[in-house]
Amino acid sequence: MSDTSPPAPATDAVLEPEPSEPVGAVQVRPARSRRTTAVKVVLAAVAAVVVFLAPAYIDAEYLTVANWVMVGAVGGMGLTMLVGQAGQLSLAHSFFALVGGVSYAVLAGPRDEASYTGLGLPSLLAAVLAVLCAGLVGAAFAPISGRLRGIYLGVASLSLVFVGFWLARELPSLAGSTSSGRYAPSLNLFGFDFGELHPELHVLNVPMGKVERSFWLYAALTALAYVLGRGALSGRVGRGWRALRDNEAVATVMGVSVVRQKALAFAVSSAYAGLAGVMVVWWYDGLMKPDESVDFGTYSTTAAISYLAICVIGGLGSLGGAVLGSVVVFGLPQIIQLVTSSDDYSGTGFTPGVITNFVFGSLIVLIILFEPRGLAGLGARLRAVLRR
Amino acid sequence: MDTLVQVLVNGVGKGAVFALLATGFVIIYKATETINFAHGSLVLVAGYVAYEVKSDHGWLLGVVAGVLAAMLFAFLVERVLLANARHAHADSLAILTIGIDVVVVTEISRRLGTAAAPFLGDPYDTKPIHILGASVARTYVVALLVALVLLGAFFLAFRYTSWGLAMRAQSENSEAAALMGIRSWRVTASAWAVGGGLAGIAVIFLATNDIGGGSGLLASHTLAFAAFPAAIIGGLTSPGGAVAGGLIVGLTDALASQYVSLEFAKVAVYLVMLAVLVVRPSGLFGRVEQLRV
Amino acid sequence: MSRNLTSCAVAFAAVAALGLSACSTKAADDSTGGGSGSGGSGSAGVKTDIGVTASEITLAALTDTSGVFKVLGLGITQGNQMWADDVNKTGGICGRKIKITTHDTGYSAEKAVPLYSKLKADNLGMIQLIGSPTLAALKKPLTDDKIAAIPASWASTNLDVPNVVMIGPTYDIESINGLSRLQSQGKIKDGDTIGHIYVDSEYGKNGALGTKYYASKHKMKVVEATVTSTESDLTAAVTKLKAGGVKAFLLTTTPAQTASAVGVATAQGLNVPIHGSGPTFTPQLLDTPVAAALMSGRYTTDAPQLPVQSDNPKVKEISAAFKKAHPGQVETYGPILGYASGLVWGSILKQACSDGDLTRAGVLAAVRKTTVDTQGLTPPLDFTKPGQPSSRSMFLMVPAKVPGGLKLVQTEPYVSPDAQTYKTPFQK
């Protein structure tokens, strides 16, 4: 829903170097922006109505998928800002999601559980603090991120995934046991609980259960993440990051503090990942469970690479693209699994799992082959065709 | 003492296999600036073809066919896919290789069906060798010797043949190389083929019970991930560094899993890598990038 | 701009129209299927809610036919289906035919969650649930939705709810039985040092629980080595055990890790008895370089169900049906376990039927009243004791070049006094 508003020129052109603004543009803007503001308000209202009514029409399993897509979208937006706008490659996004999830479980978890540490904070406060924690950990990576560039930075950050995997196993009282995990409460917003069925609620005669409620919550969080990201990118922060991306030396000469900008970019990006991590915990009905192996699972190297795939497929640096990328990377495998079935028990058959992987893998190859700027680039092309 | 000797020999043997993988990884990176996430797939393709051919035509033919198949596969990946995506960002190319990897892994495990743990086996007997009182599985020693010979041959070729010259010229400056008449596509495609070939050799050792452990072929795909830290530790632009990196990874892994814990071993490899990067941001032997204003 | 506004207005109108019509199909679905408990009554006057119609009972198999456990997943699913076919040939249960829907998770929890969300809308319960990450992710939803499921994992730490219907002994009991068998044979004695290599997960930790219990009762010292489930080279773990001077060791690992551990132990000259829990073996291991060591008699394993090579007439029937349906495929214990799972569901459904309540809640209540005779496929199963495994006996086996790769050590199921007195974590 956050894609329905037409992106402003400033962030639309993220892949090209920022065009220098013509002087005249300053006078044109106010008039133009008043109109676009009106359109935006209307569109946002429509989007809100659609989101409010959607759970009454969409089956629970597809809402579950939609919620998972929004987890990927929020995480992806954070990473695409770091990689596409600030030019810092990171393969640690799944680690920061783990930090967010564990922090939430510890902060919101009940105090009286024997085997798990919990502070029993209200869930909203815990979620906000968990996001902050993830951001701080991201900033703490500055001494290393400040020294490295490109693929070296990417693989260096990958080591955080390994460290996180190891720490989570060493500290089961915080992260939950690797076998059955630990449970954290769902979000309770001023008496309205997103995980419970109280108070009961019907929309169009359809009872709003956990999944339906979570859909509203996730849509709101995705919109919030999008709006905040847009704000950051179109302002001073975004300009600093792009200067960093285009040429560190020039940026330094221009008075941009490279180390501070890198730390800021990592902090913001990790905070987004932390929010995604909290959303993962809610998605699993409050279950926080570390992975059984570092290669596969929710916080694994595979997940880290998936977040990067979201950014590339969506179009590096584009926030709306991250949402589309997440539809492909997080959504598609689950959807194909839902709509296909097979009675082939030979072991070499084309089961739903096999088909899913084939479609997913080839789609990645095709998108990059034919639209290197990702789905955002495809969108830009479509718009250009329509305008003609 | 005998435990230490055993750990060291195992570490160096495993490291030699990682060195084969990392060297291929670095050559591919040098020629096409692509981080090849599908390196594990090159390993799998070779292993799968070798496994299929072996049953009818014996081990040696199987391995030869496997290595050739991996070279051909890598060559095709470069020619058919990467060559047609020239305008893509380097990160996009890396993600493209992930797409390839997903498809290859899925197809090969589908083809293997219920044959859960195929092994390539080895032509030499499995009796352990005794060195300084320690008993060491033969695979480690053979792997070390094969890697020494192969990497030696590769470095001679890299230094003294026209192919090696073209390779080095292109990675220095691809535009200048083109102006000098070096045909770029031959260099890039042959780099991929060599990377595939080295991965194909590596799988002979990875898909054994000694180095790869019990999952045989399928575990070798996961193990190939070690090429990453190995290549980074050595420095991505240095094939010699890749060999050093491979050995460091192998030794760190063996020592940490013996003297700390199996879980810590994988982390230890990455911690060593971080330590190296903090001191030398472009790896031990990597070329330090110069900033141009 | 005016065009934009127009399109907005159109969109608004469309949304409003949708809203006013209030014709959501979902609303209709939920009012008929939405678990009020008092729903329709079947032909026999039995109370029903979800997954049961007048002519059909639907059960789901949440399996893995493409991931790391596909060999097991395929086998169990085949057994489930064979049972359903047999039941339907003889008229079904409670006047209803059995229908099984299969769903492939690829051993991934994040794919299992939407699949569960889909299957819970029209399945009464689950005849199969593979994978401990999947069980962990679904345990709370299962409890909330009152759905009973037979997991293909045996950790006694999951027996806290009646929803988890586990067939046979749990991993901790396996360890205790395995060790006391070794001791009864004189391979180990009180005060010895023993080893245990296990996966650091629900599976392995539960196995280690039993070892610690047994060791404390017999004043033994345990050398533990933990591995992650994808670690395939167990050299370091075996070296650690060897350095600790173990007289025997247990494995609670994956089959691939069994191959590595047994191979490395042989290479290092650690020729002590090894007992592996049920999941440590698959017949494919006999095609690997460690086949000889596995068949030397040093390695024993166990299972809650009979092996493929058995004189039991039911097993022979299943095996023949399997060979006919899947010629050329390696035979595993999967179909036997799958068939036994079917028999368990059959008994539960019959109990619920005679209680006049085939709702989900009725099924859960029936579980606690059910004992099952699986025609000898497993030891007799008793689900009436909360928190306890349905059986503490298991079949002891050694690898052999026979169909299924295993043969019985003794025809009678084995249970040790220590295992009988052991108190499982949620035993009341």
mmCIF file with all atom_site columns, all heavy atoms in Angstrom, chain A residues 253-265:
data_model
loop_
_atom_site.group_PDB
_atom_site.id
_atom_site.type_symbol
_atom_site.label_atom_id
_atom_site.label_alt_id
_atom_site.label_comp_id
_atom_site.label_asym_id
_atom_site.label_entity_id
_atom_site.label_seq_id
_atom_site.pdbx_PDB_ins_code
_atom_site.Cartn_x
_atom_site.Cartn_y
_atom_site.Cartn_z
_atom_site.occupancy
_atom_site.B_iso_or_equiv
_atom_site.pdbx_formal_charge
_atom_site.auth_seq_id
_atom_site.auth_comp_id
_atom_site.auth_asym_id
_atom_site.auth_atom_id
_atom_site.pdbx_PDB_model_num
ATOM 1  N N   . VAL A 1 253 ? 36.395 15.562 1.591  1.00 0.00 ? 253 VAL A N   1
ATOM 2  C CA  . VAL A 1 253 ? 36.784 16.915 1.224  1.00 0.00 ? 253 VAL A CA  1
ATOM 3  C C   . VAL A 1 253 ? 35.612 17.878 1.417  1.00 0.00 ? 253 VAL A C   1
ATOM 4  O O   . VAL A 1 253 ? 35.768 19.002 1.871  1.00 0.00 ? 253 VAL A O   1
ATOM 5  C CB  . VAL A 1 253 ? 37.269 16.944 -0.254 1.00 0.00 ? 253 VAL A CB  1
ATOM 6  C CG1 . VAL A 1 253 ? 37.513 18.377 -0.698 1.00 0.00 ? 253 VAL A CG1 1
ATOM 7  C CG2 . VAL A 1 253 ? 38.522 16.103 -0.401 1.00 0.00 ? 253 VAL A CG2 1
ATOM 8  N N   . MET A 1 254 ? 34.417 17.376 1.106  1.00 0.00 ? 254 MET A N   1
ATOM 9  C CA  . MET A 1 254 ? 33.242 18.232 1.231  1.00 0.00 ? 254 MET A CA  1
ATOM 10 C C   . MET A 1 254 ? 32.802 18.411 2.672  1.00 0.00 ? 254 MET A C   1
ATOM 11 O O   . MET A 1 254 ? 31.793 19.057 2.949  1.00 0.00 ? 254 MET A O   1
ATOM 12 C CB  . MET A 1 254 ? 32.080 17.647 0.426  1.00 0.00 ? 254 MET A CB  1
ATOM 13 C CG  . MET A 1 254 ? 32.156 17.985 -1.044 1.00 0.00 ? 254 MET A CG  1
ATOM 14 S SD  . MET A 1 254 ? 31.084 16.921 -2.034 1.00 0.00 ? 254 MET A SD  1
ATOM 15 C CE  . MET A 1 254 ? 29.614 16.887 -1.054 1.00 0.00 ? 254 MET A CE  1
ATOM 16 N N   . GLY A 1 255 ? 33.506 17.783 3.583  1.00 0.00 ? 255 GLY A N   1
ATOM 17 C CA  . GLY A 1 255 ? 33.181 17.987 4.985  1.00 0.00 ? 255 GLY A CA  1
ATOM 18 C C   . GLY A 1 255 ? 32.234 16.954 5.566  1.00 0.00 ? 255 GLY A C   1
ATOM 19 O O   . GLY A 1 255 ? 31.685 17.138 6.635  1.00 0.00 ? 255 GLY A O   1
ATOM 20 N N   . VAL A 1 256 ? 32.014 15.855 4.846  1.00 0.00 ? 256 VAL A N   1
ATOM 21 C CA  . VAL A 1 256 ? 31.195 14.781 5.390  1.00 0.00 ? 256 VAL A CA  1
ATOM 22 C C   . VAL A 1 256 ? 32.096 13.875 6.229  1.00 0.00 ? 256 VAL A C   1
ATOM 23 O O   . VAL A 1 256 ? 33.140 13.449 5.758  1.00 0.00 ? 256 VAL A O   1
ATOM 24 C CB  . VAL A 1 256 ? 30.545 13.969 4.248  1.00 0.00 ? 256 VAL A CB  1
ATOM 25 C CG1 . VAL A 1 256 ? 29.784 12.779 4.824  1.00 0.00 ? 256 VAL A CG1 1
ATOM 26 C CG2 . VAL A 1 256 ? 29.631 14.848 3.419  1.00 0.00 ? 256 VAL A CG2 1
ATOM 27 N N   . SER A 1 257 ? 31.712 13.623 7.470  1.00 0.00 ? 257 SER A N   1
ATOM 28 C CA  . SER A 1 257 ? 32.522 12.724 8.288  1.00 0.00 ? 257 SER A CA  1
ATOM 29 C C   . SER A 1 257 ? 32.201 11.278 7.902  1.00 0.00 ? 257 SER A C   1
ATOM 30 O O   . SER A 1 257 ? 31.124 10.779 8.179  1.00 0.00 ? 257 SER A O   1
ATOM 31 C CB  . SER A 1 257 ? 32.220 12.934 9.771  1.00 0.00 ? 257 SER A CB  1
ATOM 32 O OG  . SER A 1 257 ? 32.679 11.811 10.487 1.00 0.00 ? 257 SER A OG  1
ATOM 33 N N   . VAL A 1 258 ? 33.164 10.649 7.214  1.00 0.00 ? 258 VAL A N   1
ATOM 34 C CA  . VAL A 1 258 ? 32.926 9.320  6.656  1.00 0.00 ? 258 VAL A CA  1
ATOM 35 C C   . VAL A 1 258 ? 32.597 8.323  7.763  1.00 0.00 ? 258 VAL A C   1
ATOM 36 O O   . VAL A 1 258 ? 31.621 7.580  7.677  1.00 0.00 ? 258 VAL A O   1
ATOM 37 C CB  . VAL A 1 258 ? 34.155 8.859  5.851  1.00 0.00 ? 258 VAL A CB  1
ATOM 38 C CG1 . VAL A 1 258 ? 34.025 7.396  5.483  1.00 0.00 ? 258 VAL A CG1 1
ATOM 39 C CG2 . VAL A 1 258 ? 34.292 9.711  4.606  1.00 0.00 ? 258 VAL A CG2 1
ATOM 40 N N   . VAL A 1 259 ? 33.389 8.337  8.824  1.00 0.00 ? 259 VAL A N   1
ATOM 41 C CA  . VAL A 1 259 ? 33.185 7.362  9.895  1.00 0.00 ? 259 VAL A CA  1
ATOM 42 C C   . VAL A 1 259 ? 31.804 7.546  10.530 1.00 0.00 ? 259 VAL A C   1
ATOM 43 O O   . VAL A 1 259 ? 31.068 6.592  10.748 1.00 0.00 ? 259 VAL A O   1
ATOM 44 C CB  . VAL A 1 259 ? 34.293 7.481  10.957 1.00 0.00 ? 259 VAL A CB  1
ATOM 45 C CG1 . VAL A 1 259 ? 33.983 6.573  12.140 1.00 0.00 ? 259 VAL A CG1 1
ATOM 46 C CG2 . VAL A 1 259 ? 35.636 7.124  10.344 1.00 0.00 ? 259 VAL A CG2 1
ATOM 47 N N   . ARG A 1 260 ? 31.453 8.833  10.781 1.00 0.00 ? 260 ARG A N   1
ATOM 48 C CA  . ARG A 1 260 ? 30.175 9.069  11.449 1.00 0.00 ? 260 ARG A CA  1
ATOM 49 C C   . ARG A 1 260 ? 29.004 8.678  10.541 1.00 0.00 ? 260 ARG A C   1
ATOM 50 O O   . ARG A 1 260 ? 28.030 8.082  10.982 1.00 0.00 ? 260 ARG A O   1
ATOM 51 C CB  . ARG A 1 260 ? 30.056 10.541 11.859 1.00 0.00 ? 260 ARG A CB  1
ATOM 52 C CG  . ARG A 1 260 ? 28.927 10.754 12.870 1.00 0.00 ? 260 ARG A CG  1
ATOM 53 C CD  . ARG A 1 260 ? 28.715 12.211 13.193 1.00 0.00 ? 260 ARG A CD  1
ATOM 54 N NE  . ARG A 1 260 ? 29.942 12.862 13.661 1.00 0.00 ? 260 ARG A NE  1
ATOM 55 C CZ  . ARG A 1 260 ? 30.116 14.185 13.643 1.00 0.00 ? 260 ARG A CZ  1
ATOM 56 N NH1 . ARG A 1 260 ? 29.177 14.966 13.171 1.00 0.00 ? 260 ARG A NH1 1
ATOM 57 N NH2 . ARG A 1 260 ? 31.243 14.697 14.085 1.00 0.00 ? 260 ARG A NH2 1
ATOM 58 N N   . GLN A 1 261 ? 29.111 8.999  9.246  1.00 0.00 ? 261 GLN A N   1
ATOM 59 C CA  . GLN A 1 261 ? 28.040 8.646  8.318  1.00 0.00 ? 261 GLN A CA  1
ATOM 60 C C   . GLN A 1 261 ? 27.884 7.140  8.198  1.00 0.00 ? 261 GLN A C   1
ATOM 61 O O   . GLN A 1 261 ? 26.779 6.614  8.139  1.00 0.00 ? 261 GLN A O   1
ATOM 62 C CB  . GLN A 1 261 ? 28.317 9.242  6.926  1.00 0.00 ? 261 GLN A CB  1
ATOM 63 C CG  . GLN A 1 261 ? 28.109 10.736 6.841  1.00 0.00 ? 261 GLN A CG  1
ATOM 64 C CD  . GLN A 1 261 ? 26.668 11.132 7.139  1.00 0.00 ? 261 GLN A CD  1
ATOM 65 O OE1 . GLN A 1 261 ? 25.743 10.360 6.935  1.00 0.00 ? 261 GLN A OE1 1
ATOM 66 N NE2 . GLN A 1 261 ? 26.478 12.342 7.663  1.00 0.00 ? 261 GLN A NE2 1
ATOM 67 N N   . LYS A 1 262 ? 29.014 6.434  8.160  1.00 0.00 ? 262 LYS A N   1
ATOM 68 C CA  . LYS A 1 262 ? 28.943 4.973  8.075  1.00 0.00 ? 262 LYS A CA  1
ATOM 69 C C   . LYS A 1 262 ? 28.265 4.412  9.327  1.00 0.00 ? 262 LYS A C   1
ATOM 70 O O   . LYS A 1 262 ? 27.403 3.537  9.240  1.00 0.00 ? 262 LYS A O   1
ATOM 71 C CB  . LYS A 1 262 ? 30.341 4.361  7.943  1.00 0.00 ? 262 LYS A CB  1
ATOM 72 C CG  . LYS A 1 262 ? 30.865 4.342  6.518  1.00 0.00 ? 262 LYS A CG  1
ATOM 73 C CD  . LYS A 1 262 ? 32.114 3.474  6.443  1.00 0.00 ? 262 LYS A CD  1
ATOM 74 C CE  . LYS A 1 262 ? 32.730 3.542  5.065  1.00 0.00 ? 262 LYS A CE  1
ATOM 75 N NZ  . LYS A 1 262 ? 33.912 2.683  4.939  1.00 0.00 ? 262 LYS A NZ  1
ATOM 76 N N   . ALA A 1 263 ? 28.675 4.924  10.475 1.00 0.00 ? 263 ALA A N   1
ATOM 77 C CA  . ALA A 1 263 ? 28.098 4.436  11.726 1.00 0.00 ? 263 ALA A CA  1
ATOM 78 C C   . ALA A 1 263 ? 26.595 4.709  11.743 1.00 0.00 ? 263 ALA A C   1
ATOM 79 O O   . ALA A 1 263 ? 25.794 3.860  12.123 1.00 0.00 ? 263 ALA A O   1
ATOM 80 C CB  . ALA A 1 263 ? 28.771 5.105  12.919 1.00 0.00 ? 263 ALA A CB  1
ATOM 81 N N   . LEU A 1 264 ? 26.213 5.924  11.284 1.00 0.00 ? 264 LEU A N   1
ATOM 82 C CA  . LEU A 1 264 ? 24.792 6.289  11.259 1.00 0.00 ? 264 LEU A CA  1
ATOM 83 C C   . LEU A 1 264 ? 24.023 5.365  10.318 1.00 0.00 ? 264 LEU A C   1
ATOM 84 O O   . LEU A 1 264 ? 22.952 4.860  10.652 1.00 0.00 ? 264 LEU A O   1
ATOM 85 C CB  . LEU A 1 264 ? 24.645 7.752  10.821 1.00 0.00 ? 264 LEU A CB  1
ATOM 86 C CG  . LEU A 1 264 ? 23.204 8.252  10.746 1.00 0.00 ? 264 LEU A CG  1
ATOM 87 C CD1 . LEU A 1 264 ? 22.569 8.271  12.124 1.00 0.00 ? 264 LEU A CD1 1
ATOM 88 C CD2 . LEU A 1 264 ? 23.141 9.641  10.113 1.00 0.00 ? 264 LEU A CD2 1
ATOM 89 N N   . ALA A 1 265 ? 24.607 5.117  9.130  1.00 0.00 ? 265 ALA A N   1
ATOM 90 C CA  . ALA A 1 265 ? 23.936 4.255  8.156  1.00 0.00 ? 265 ALA A CA  1
ATOM 91 C C   . ALA A 1 265 ? 23.747 2.861  8.737  1.00 0.00 ? 265 ALA A C   1
ATOM 92 O O   . ALA A 1 265 ? 22.676 2.266  8.608  1.00 0.00 ? 265 ALA A O   1
ATOM 93 C CB  . ALA A 1 265 ? 24.739 4.193  6.864  1.00 0.00 ? 265 ALA A CB  1
#
